[in-house]
Amino acid sequence: MTDEEAIVQLYRDENEAMVNKDLNKLNEILTDDMHLTHMTGYVQPKFEWIDQIQNEEMQYLASKEEAIKAIQINGDKASLIGQNRVQAKIWGGGINTWPLQMRMYYKKQAGKWMITDQVASTY
């Protein structure tokens, strides 16, 4: 698998793990110091995000990929922009579907790509 294929696959794996509540997969592909910056501007640490998925404060119900673009790889760092239609129930709100754009950041550690940071917006 090329580096580009590996980072795209990680993006897809994360979306699938969010919907399936596969916390083990999320732990495996996210660095311990990963942060998710939400559309609200809130910067959430990895373990808080995973805890909220586990406790269903954040329920991801479906995710449909629409585009992956702006893939950049520079040595052991990489980034991409992914666009998915995400159906979710977040922090006590109702079920909504968002055109969610994620700017993903990666680093290669011991020969394996990991997600280090994510920034959410809409498109």
Side-chain angles (χ1 to χ4, degrees):
M1 181 179 294
T2 67
D3 285 340
E4 183 172 318
E5 290 168 337
I7 64 171
V8 168
Q9 188 60 53
L10 277 174
Y11 172 73
R12 291 176 174 154
D13 288 349
E14 183 190 57
N15 281 290
E16 183 178 322
M18 288 167 24
V19 172
N20 293 333
K21 276 181 59 172
D22 186 345
L23 308 180
N24 290 330
K25 178 55 110 175
L26 290 173
N27 268 314
E28 176 188 319
I29 65 176
L30 305 172
T31 61
D32 286 346
D33 61 349
M34 188 280 306
H35 289 90
L36 167 59
T37 304
H38 291 275
M39 290 183 283
T40 62
Y42 178 61
V43 179
Q44 188 172 40
K46 168 189 173 174
F47 293 110
E48 180 183 302
W49 183 52
I50 288 176
D51 185 57
Q52 289 186 354
I53 292 170
Q54 180 175 6
N55 296 328
E56 298 189 345
E57 292 174 62
M58 301 187 82
Q59 294 177 312
Y60 298 97
L61 307 171
S63 182
K64 182 177 187 281
E65 184 179 302
E66 294 196 330
I68 293 177
K69 56 189 181 179
I71 297 171
Q72 296 182 337
I73 300 170
N74 186 7
D76 65 350
K77 297 194 182 304
S79 64
L80 65 75
I81 295 173
Q83 296 176 330
N84 282 39
R85 294 274 171 185
V86 176
Q87 184 183 51
K89 184 176 179 184
I90 304 296
W91 297 322
I95 295 173
N96 290 296
T97 301
W98 287 277
L100 190 63
Q101 177 168 287
M102 297 297 289
R103 182 173 295 276
M104 307 289 293
Y105 296 92
Y106 305 84
K107 72 177 172 183
K108 198 177 225 183
Q109 300 180 154
K112 180 180 174 187
W113 286 103
M114 303 279 292
I115 299 168
T116 60
D117 283 289
Q118 306 175 69
V119 179
S121 61
T122 56
Y123 63 98

